[in-house]
Amino acid sequence: QVTLKESGPGILQPSQTLSLTCTFSGFSLSTYGMGVGWIRQPSGKGLEWLANIWWDDDKYYNPSLKNRLTISKDTSNNQAFLKITNVDTADTATYYCARPNWFAYWGQGTLVTVSS
Amino acid sequence: DVLMTQTPVSLPVSLGGQVSISCRSSQSLVHSDGNTYLHWYLQKPGQSPQLLIYRVSNRFSGVPDRFSGSGSGTDFTLKISRVEPEDLGVYYCLQSTHFPYTFGAGTKLELK
């Protein structure tokens, strides 16, 4: 059974760095073909793909976030991480992690609010 | 980036009825490996999106056969027959052929 769960700070101030953790089970990021992706959704709006990391440590980012993103993984502890630097109010959203290629499995999401 | 144009934005339906949702891409979604990575999701209120259809026409595990996907190249359709109350929500298409992955803006399926 594949499960994913996101965790984050809940609230942070503009210009700070957002750190998110995805803890998963039912698969391993040391297995060929496996990966974890991050997607976000502002309240009442659509979905935006942010980044993927793969079993071989290959990484892909959405260029719309202009080098603010860093994705990483801890294979031993079944975790993936996403950092977003220099956040502002536009980064307020629910952040999901999910398993690519077609995101068959999603976490419940974690709400992040950027506010001064 | 590949633009995914999803129509309609809102889709009123009667229970038991049939509906279609269109998703058109700004470029072909045929990957160099020969596959087409176009997928469909349903997001119910307060929930995470759930995969319905992957790679154009493959129903994910547990998805009723009332849901079907079709299309090729740049033009794709999700059909829902015999609509049930649990089908209501927002439907999204996603292309994962090209980076960055891009979603359609969503179609809200609601009761007439």
Side-chain angles (χ1 to χ4, degrees):
Chain A
Q1 180 189 4
V2 174
T3 66
L4 303 98
K5 187 174 183 179
E6 309 85 351
S7 58
I11 188 166
L12 68 167
Q13 294 184 337
S15 81
Q16 290 186 319
T17 295
L18 169 60
S19 295
L20 298 165
T21 300
C22 176
T23 303
F24 55 87
S25 63
F27 67 101
S28 172
L29 273 177
S30 62
T31 300
Y32 177 90
M34 289 294 117
V36 168
W38 288 93
I39 302 104
R40 72 179 179 181
Q41 183 175 39
S43 179
K45 297 190 177 180
L47 299 160
E48 179 182 31
W49 173 78
L50 299 176
N52 284 357
I53 189 166
W54 299 96
W55 83 102
D56 59 357
D57 211 36
D58 208 2
K59 300 164 187 172
Y60 291 86
Y61 296 103
N62 192 326
S64 70
L65 275 84
K66 294 177 184 176
N67 302 320
R68 297 171 54 215
L69 301 177
T70 303
I71 194 169
S72 60
K73 60 182 172 69
D74 178 348
T75 303
S76 300
N77 289 307
N78 284 346
Q79 291 181 316
F81 310 98
L82 183 71
K83 290 189 188 297
I84 306 178
T85 59
N86 193 26
V87 297
D88 68 11
T89 55
D91 296 308
T92 294
T94 295
Y95 286 77
Y96 297 99
C97 61
R99 198 178 82 173
N101 281 314
W102 32 87
F103 300 132
Y105 303 97
W106 294 64
Q108 64 192 23
T110 185
L111 177 61
V112 174
T113 301
V114 179
S115 175
S116 55
Chain B
D1 298 3
V2 177
L3 177 63
M4 303 298 289
T5 303
Q6 196 175 328
T7 56
V9 172
S10 175
L11 187 51
V13 65
S14 300
L15 296 178
Q18 177 174 301
V19 295
S20 293
I21 300 170
S22 170
C23 189
R24 289 183 171 165
S25 57
S26 59
Q27 58 185 275
S28 173
L29 298 186
V30 179
H31 194 275
S32 56
D33 65 8
N35 291 309
T36 299
Y37 295 99
L38 184 284
H39 326 294
W40 292 96
Y41 302 84
L42 165 60
Q43 187 173 32
K44 300 179 185 180
Q47 295 186 18
S48 306
Q50 56 188 83
L51 178 67
L52 300 172
I53 302 285
Y54 64 96
R55 281 196 287 122
V56 181
S57 59
N58 298 278
R59 271 188 304 275
F60 185 56
S61 175
V63 175
D65 60 6
R66 301 182 289 101
F67 293 87
S68 64
S70 63
S72 63
T74 63
D75 199 351
F76 305 91
T77 302
L78 175 71
K79 288 186 181 176
I80 314 167
S81 59
R82 307 182 303 280
V83 171
E84 298 187 5
E86 58 263 33
D87 301 338
L88 303 180
V90 181
Y91 289 80
Y92 294 96
C93 59
L94 163 70
Q95 70 81 20
S96 61
T97 296
H98 305 285
F99 283 103
Y101 295 175
T102 45
F103 289 88
T107 295
K108 187 173 185 179
L109 186 67
E110 52 194 358
L111 286 178
K112 279 183 181 175

